[in-house]
């Protein structure tokens, strides 16, 4: 079996220059994360606030932590002081809470807006219409403690590669449209987070700038 370091190197080799590999370490113990760390990796993703905070506290402080999962509003305050990027902002109410907590620490929190691109209705995210409505509202435009760095999406879990490519393509298209309109003046609007172990190569073909890969690095997860 390949080591964690070898898995990371193999994936890096398949990513274009400048595409960020987020090692999704959810459910994995600190010793396993340290194996990746000792191999030089510094960018990790978690999807549960409690686990993210515990790992942040226990592990080296030069790790860049990404919150990739669904985030509950009452937990925003626990991660705002240290999180590098919040990927799954899927409602205006959540964004408002992040803005409020950003204000409390006199900071500006980097986030991605999650767009619903999959066929399953279990996956969170804005529709295009909801997104545009929010972006055009006065309340959105007045927010000073969040910075929208781009979009995030998850494709349908399917063997149908054409569907996956189509979904990633639609997110990339929306990203391009927003870059040319609402975010025309915003050079920080430049991240497109899409792709996981099973589909990151398609995501990269469609212009992903950040892939979130767990099981292809760390092996499968045991939930209990
Ligand atoms: C778990 C998770 C991933 C990584 O999934 P793998 O299939 O293990 O690569 C990516 N994104 C999100 C939002 C996740 O929750």
């Amino acid at each position: 079996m390949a080591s964690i370091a070898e898995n990371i190197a193999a994936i890096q080799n398949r990513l274009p220059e400048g595409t960020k590999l987020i090692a999704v370490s959810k459910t994995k113990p600190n010793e396993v994360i340290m194996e990746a760390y000792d191999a030089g990796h510094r960018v990790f993703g978690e999807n549960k606030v409690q686990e993210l905070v515990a790992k942040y506290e226990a592990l080296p402080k030069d790790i860049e932590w990404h919150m990739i999962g669904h985030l509950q509003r009452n937990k925003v305050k626990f991660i705002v002081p240290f999180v590098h990027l919040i990927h799954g902002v899927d409602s205006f109410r959540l964004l408002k809470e992040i803005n409020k907590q950003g204000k409390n620490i006199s900071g500006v929190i980097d986030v991605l807006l999650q767009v619903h691109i999959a066929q399953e209705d279990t996956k969170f995210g804005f529709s295009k219409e909801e997104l545009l409505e929010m972006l055009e509202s006065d309340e959105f435009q007045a927010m000073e403690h969040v910075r929208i760095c781009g979009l995030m999406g998850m494709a349908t879990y399917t063997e149908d590669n054409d569907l996956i490519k189509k979904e990633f393509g639609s997110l990339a298209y929306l990203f391009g449209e927003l870059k040319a309109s609402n975010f025309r003046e915003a050079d920080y609007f430049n991240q497109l987070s899409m792709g996981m172990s099973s589909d990151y190569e398609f995501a990269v073909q469609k212009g992903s700038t950040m892939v979130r890969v767990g099981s292809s690095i760390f092996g499968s997860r045991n939930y209990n």
Side-chain angles (χ1 to χ4, degrees), residues 24 26 47 68-69 152 154 195-198 212-216 221 223:
V24 176
K26 62 190 187 195
N47 72 338
I68 62 168
M152 180 266 204
M154 292 170 85
M196 343 203 319
S197 293
S198 58
R212 311 175 309 270
V213 179
S215 41
S216 293
R221 288 177 290 273
Y223 291 98

Side-chain angles (χ1 to χ4, degrees), residues 8 15 19 26-27 43 50 56 73 92 95 120 132 147 152 156 177-178 191 209 213-214 220:
I8 289 175
L15 298 179
T19 308
K26 62 190 187 195
T27 79
V43 184
Q50 209 180 350
Y56 164 73
R73 276 177 293 135
F92 200 178
L95 188 66
E120 301 125 14
L132 292 177
R147 191 166 69 152
M152 180 266 204
T156 304
E177 281 187 316
L178 293 176
Q191 298 298 328
T209 67
V213 179
S220 58

Side-chain angles (χ1 to χ4, degrees), residues 44-200:
F44 295 89
E46 290 284 335
N47 72 338
K48 295 223 158 59
V49 166
Q50 209 180 350
E51 192 175 342
L52 174 56
V53 170
K55 286 174 174 173
Y56 164 73
E57 283 170 358
L59 292 167
K61 292 296 173 285
D62 61 342
I63 290 180
E64 185 183 300
W65 289 106
H66 292 245
M67 175 66 197
I68 62 168
H70 178 65
L71 177 58
Q72 288 173 300
R73 276 177 293 135
N74 61 353
K75 297 192 174 157
V76 170
K77 57 179 177 289
F78 301 117
I79 62 168
V80 147
F82 69 88
V83 75
H84 182 78
L85 181 64
I86 299 174
H87 289 235
V89 177
D90 56 5
S91 73
F92 200 178
R93 292 170 79 199
L94 175 58
L95 188 66
K96 286 183 214 173
E97 177 62 20
I98 298 170
N99 188 61
K100 182 176 147 195
Q101 296 301 335
K103 186 173 182 190
N104 277 347
I105 60 160
S106 307
V108 177
I109 313 305
D110 283 345
V111 306
L112 303 179
L113 301 175
Q114 184 170 358
V115 181
H116 182 92
I117 53 171
Q119 288 187 334
E120 301 125 14
D121 45 53
T122 51
K123 290 190 180 158
F124 298 101
F126 288 95
S127 68
K128 182 180 171 179
E129 293 68 34
E130 289 165 344
L131 194 62
L132 292 177
E133 191 185 320
M134 178 180 81
L135 296 178
E136 266 139 41
S137 70
D138 293 340
E139 202 177 0
F140 173 80
Q141 288 172 16
M143 288 186 174
E144 293 181 338
H145 298 276
V146 284
R147 191 166 69 152
I148 313 295
C149 297
L151 303 180
M152 180 266 204
M154 292 170 85
T156 304
Y157 188 72
T158 173
E159 307 273 287
D160 181 351
N161 294 342
D162 290 332
L163 179 62
I164 296 171
K165 286 189 227 175
K166 192 176 128 213
E167 290 172 351
F168 285 149
S170 71
L171 185 61
Y173 186 82
L174 177 60
F175 177 65
E177 281 187 316
L178 293 176
K179 230 171 144 48
S181 56
N182 300 65
F183 293 97
R184 203 171 43 243
E185 318 265 300
D187 55 0
Y188 50 81
F189 187 83
N190 57 12
Q191 298 298 328
L192 187 51
S193 167
M194 54 185 199
M196 343 203 319
S197 293
S198 58
D199 57 19
Y200 74 85

Side-chain angles (χ1 to χ4, degrees), residues 22-23 25 33 36-37 41-45 63-66 218:
I22 299 166
S25 47
I33 298 177
Y37 182 91
H41 201 75
R42 293 291 180 274
V43 184
F44 295 89
I63 290 180
E64 185 183 300
W65 289 106
H66 292 245
F218 297 111

